[in-house]
Structures are given as structure tokens and as C-alpha cells.
Amino acid sequence: MRRSTRKTWVAVAGATGIALLATACGGGSSDDNAGGEGGDVTLTISTFNQFGYEDLLEQYQDEHPNITIEHNKFAKSDDAKEQFQTALGAGSGLADVVAAEVDWMPQILQYSDQFSDLSSDSVEGRWNAWTTDQATDSEGRLLGYPTDIGPEAIAYRADLFEAAGLPTDREEVAELFGGENATWDDFFAVGDQFMAAGTGPKFFDSADALAQGMINQIKAPFEDPETGEITALDNPEIRDMYDTILSHEDQSAGLKQWEEDWTNSFQNNGFAVALAPAWFLGNIEGNASGVEGWDIADVFPGGGGNWGGSFLTVPAMSEHQEEAKALADWLTAPEQQLKAFAVNGNFPSQIEAQQSDELQGMTREFFNDAPTGKIYTNRAAAISTQPFKGENYFTIRTGLSDAFNRVDVDKSMTPDESWKGFEEAVAAIG
């Protein structure tokens, strides 16, 4: 288990940095006319998964003929973070604009001098305050522009529900899960009904995915917000969550999200239900291409939750910080984020976009023409908790994922045995 300290980042860079920097990200910007005001500038941007930026980057270049953009798109956020840590530790090799997942932000805030302050009048009041708080350091410097938030709903296979004798209409499915008062007990009760039908597919995809949905509803899951002290092993909510999910292991397809088996399971009726933050819709649609039956219910156990969301940062090592800042500003403006939502489902974090008629009228054909704009606006309004994420959040969360996966995916340990492994992982942090 690795602590993500500055010392560690440097060590990682020393071990693997040179080769990685030469191939992974394009190593930052280059000039056709270095430094000349108004001259040609090549900007690099790194993202991961699906940001829906392809057409937007083409549009930006059309509107700014002196700007050429090179887009490095990592398949997974873990791959992007590994390159990010390596390059930051080495002091070179980051793109001019770097997309960062919200879980990276505690570490970015620790080393805020490595990033540009993006504060400006043009973006004042653009976002919900709780999103900018996640990217603002102790000196009030804004280190990232929020791109999206991840209000969560339930995505389900209507055809598999029908085969199991369950309702299929999205409003009836929302009520089946408990409607406005939906609980996790309701969720597992529906799973029991589904499994009792004996149709073959499992109910949900991954125990660890459910864990993330529950963690998103806990105010201080792993660390004390006041002192930073690690409390994960003393927090009864964490052990209760662990025991509850694994007591329903029979409902799980036993898959690890983002791995090949999980991706392939979308094509072979691997499971009927997935927790679905808005950004996840693009992943479902891509992995389940050609599969009919996916729909979205406007409901979530425990009321609401936010899973993920990302930021655009500008590393201080960029040779074109002003141009990079302008690109990040433009990409996160309300009109651009509405386009990204239409393409990929990334729900806008911009207040103006959230309140727009355009958003309310958006539907998604792949999901049986579900009114995704309205559904995710409702889901965003139900978010009442933002978990505290301290210095060690990412490391502890990784240890807990490993604990779930040893039981749910590998089948190599009992829940109690694997929990002891989690205890050891947390103790190793020090």
C-alpha cells in the first residue's frame, strides 16, 4: 500500500518516469512560434474515461486558429492518475490542462504551488459552492474548474426485470425501490425478488460499486475532518456497510468495475441493475452497444448521493498557462457543459446550466428515451452529504476496495479474513 506523499510521487517518477513521460502524455505543450504573443501555440490536454470533449476541442480550434490541441485520453482514471503522479513528482511531463477526478483533489491541495490559480471574474459564481470548495486551497486559490458532478440514479434492464416478473416502467420501478423514501434495505429486497425468479442474471454488478454509493452518503467515512486522524476502523458505519453488502453477495455478479470481465458482462446479460451517476451513462451505452432494454429510474437508496465529478487543472509547469486557463474556462462554461451532457451524460456543475430549459428537455434514446435532464436534476437536488476526503482518502478507499474484491471477485477470502487485510492496510499508513 502506498501513501501518496510528495516523497512517494518523486520516488515513483524516479523508477518509471523517463519512459512514461516520453510516451504517455506528449510531455506538455510545444510551440510552433515559441512565446510569441498571438503566435501559434500547441496545447495538450489529458482526460480519462468519457468527457465528451472531442467535438468541443474541434470547435475551440476552429474559433482559435492559432491554437492546436493535442488530446491524450486515458482509458481509466487509475491510468491517468498514475501518469499524473509520476509527472508531478518528476516536475515535468504534465499536459497544459489536466483533468483530475475529485478524489485526487486532497493531494492536489497539498501541493497547491504546483498548480495555477484559476480564479477570475469570468468564472465567479459559475458553480455550486461545494464543488469549488473541493478545489480551493487554504489561501483561497482556485486550483481546478469543476467540469461535472455525479448525482446518482438507478440504471436497470427493463427486459430482465420483465423476465423476473418485476415492473418495467421507470416510474413503477422507482416506486418498487421505495420512491422518495427509498432505503438500502429496499434495494436488497428488490434484489431478493429478482434472484428468487431464477432467470439467470445476477442483480447488481459489483459489491465495491455499491460500497461507493454508500460511502458517498457518509459525512466522514475515513478521517476526522477536524484533526485528519484516520477513523476508518473505528467508524461503525464502515463496518456495517461492509457486512451489509457482503451479506447479499448472492445478488452480485462478482465483477470488478472497469476490468474486461465487467465490460464484457454488458453484452451477455451479466446483471440487471447498476448504480448510475450521470457520467456513467456513457460507459453503459458504450459497453452495451446493441443491447436493448436499459432504462433509468429516478430513485436512489438513502435519498441521494454524488459519485465523482472532475476538474480541469493547469499545472504550474505549463509553458502556456494563460492559454491553458482560457481553454479550461471555455470548456467549463455552461454552454459547453450542456453539450458534453448531451453527448456523454456528464451532468453540469454550472448553476446556469443546471437551471436551463435546455437541460430539462434533454432525453437519452439509448435508455428508452429517458428524460435524463429532469431525472438527474432531481437526483442532484437530493444530494445532502459531501463526504470529507482528507489526505489519506484515496489510499484507504483503495484498501477497502481490495477487501471487497477479495470476497466478491476473487472469492479468495471470507468477509472476516478480508476485513483483517483492510485493517492491516490502514495500519500500514501510519
Side-chain angles (χ1 to χ4, degrees):
M1 192 55 60
R2 182 179 66 203
R3 293 185 66 182
S4 296
T5 63
R6 170 70 172 177
K7 183 177 180 181
T8 302
W9 289 1
V10 172
V12 170
T16 62
I18 295 176
L20 190 58
L21 297 177
T23 59
C25 191
S29 61
S30 61
D31 282 344
D32 297 322
N33 182 11
E37 185 176 354
D40 293 339
V41 172
T42 298
L43 293 177
T44 54
I45 178 171
S46 64
T47 65
F48 48 87
N49 294 342
Q50 303 291 338
F51 273 67
Y53 281 175
E54 283 74 12
D55 290 344
L56 291 174
L57 294 177
E58 289 295 328
Q59 180 183 341
Y60 192 83
Q61 291 175 94
D62 290 343
E63 295 177 2
H64 301 79
N66 65 317
I67 300 290
T68 298
I69 299 174
E70 296 178 355
H71 184 192
N72 185 48
K73 184 176 172 182
F74 291 88
K76 298 187 293 186
S77 64
D78 285 351
D79 297 336
K81 186 173 185 184
E82 182 178 353
Q83 192 276 335
F84 173 78
Q85 290 176 319
T86 301
L88 191 65
S92 66
L94 287 176
D96 297 298
V97 178
V98 177
E101 203 170 31
V102 63
D103 290 354
W104 308 5
M105 297 312 295
Q107 294 171 349
I108 289 174
L109 294 176
Q110 278 185 276
Y111 306 105
S112 60
D113 61 333
Q114 302 295 314
F115 296 89
S116 296
D117 181 6
L118 303 181
S119 304
S120 76
D121 291 341
S122 71
V123 300
E124 186 69 27
R126 177 179 286 181
W127 298 279
N128 299 109
W130 61 267
T131 60
T132 50
D133 287 348
Q134 294 170 326
T136 303
D137 71 6
S138 59
E139 297 179 357
R141 301 169 71 245
L142 180 62
L143 305 183
Y145 287 158
T147 61
D148 64 300
I149 59 175
E152 298 174 276
I154 292 179
Y156 67 100
R157 283 278 300 274
D159 55 329
L160 299 184
F161 268 41
E162 182 176 19
L166 299 177
T168 59
D169 176 80
R170 65 176 71 95
E171 293 183 2
E172 293 179 0
V173 171
E175 289 303 314
L176 176 70
F177 279 107
E180 294 183 0
N181 300 312
T183 67
W184 286 102
D185 287 342
D186 294 329
F187 179 87
F188 291 117
V190 175
D192 285 338
Q193 293 181 59
F194 182 86
M195 296 304 298
T199 56
K202 294 290 188 176
F203 184 53
F204 60 84
D205 58 342
S206 158
D208 190 52
L210 263 59
Q212 189 61 57
M214 292 188 181
I215 290 169
N216 295 336
Q217 297 174 327
I218 300 175
K219 289 183 178 179
F222 302 141
E223 298 159 280
D224 187 314
E226 300 298 326
T227 66
E229 178 185 1
I230 295 174
T231 58
L233 299 179
D234 301 320
N235 186 345
E237 291 180 284
I238 298 301
R239 183 61 200 252
D240 287 348
M241 172 195 69
Y242 179 82
D243 290 337
T244 297
I245 293 173
L246 292 180
S247 70
H248 296 89
E249 189 187 351
D250 62 308
Q251 298 181 13
S252 174
L255 299 166
K256 185 177 182 180
Q257 285 195 318
W258 316 114
E259 297 295 323
E260 185 175 359
D261 287 349
W262 175 79
T263 300
N264 293 339
S265 70
F266 285 86
Q267 291 289 333
N268 57 22
N269 297 339
F271 54 90
V273 160
L275 305 187
W279 51 263
F280 195 61
L281 301 187
N283 296 94
I284 294 177
E285 189 166 340
N287 294 337
S289 178
V291 176
E292 297 182 354
W294 280 99
D295 208 325
I296 307 166
D298 185 358
V299 65
F300 196 75
N306 180 70
W307 183 346
S310 296
F311 297 80
L312 296 183
T313 67
V314 176
M317 67 180 70
S318 168
E319 296 178 0
H320 300 293
Q321 294 181 45
E322 287 305 313
E323 291 87 348
K325 181 178 177 180
L327 173 60
D329 182 337
W330 185 83
L331 284 170
T332 58
E335 52 269 38
Q336 273 67 253
Q337 286 306 123
L338 283 170
K339 293 178 181 177
F341 179 71
V343 170
N344 219 46
N346 292 345
F347 191 80
S349 53
Q350 297 75 15
I351 295 172
E352 181 181 329
Q354 292 171 2
Q355 296 174 344
S356 72
D357 292 338
E358 182 179 355
L359 179 70
Q360 297 307 307
M362 287 186 179
T363 61
R364 192 102 178 183
E365 182 179 2
F366 181 82
F367 294 91
N368 191 26
D369 291 320
T372 49
K374 287 184 178 178
I375 289 174
Y376 282 100
T377 296
N378 291 340
R379 293 296 91 217
I383 297 171
S384 59
T385 300
Q386 291 300 322
F388 172 73
K389 298 179 180 180
E391 175 184 353
N392 296 297
Y393 175 88
F394 192 86
T395 304
I396 298 170
R397 180 68 187 94
T398 300
L400 187 58
S401 290
D402 293 342
F404 274 106
N405 290 333
R406 285 189 292 264
V407 179
D408 183 49
V409 180
D410 302 339
K411 316 291 186 188
S412 62
M413 290 187 181
T414 67
D416 284 342
E417 289 171 343
S418 196
W419 180 262
K420 289 179 181 177
F422 175 56
E423 291 177 331
E424 292 170 0
V426 173
I429 297 173

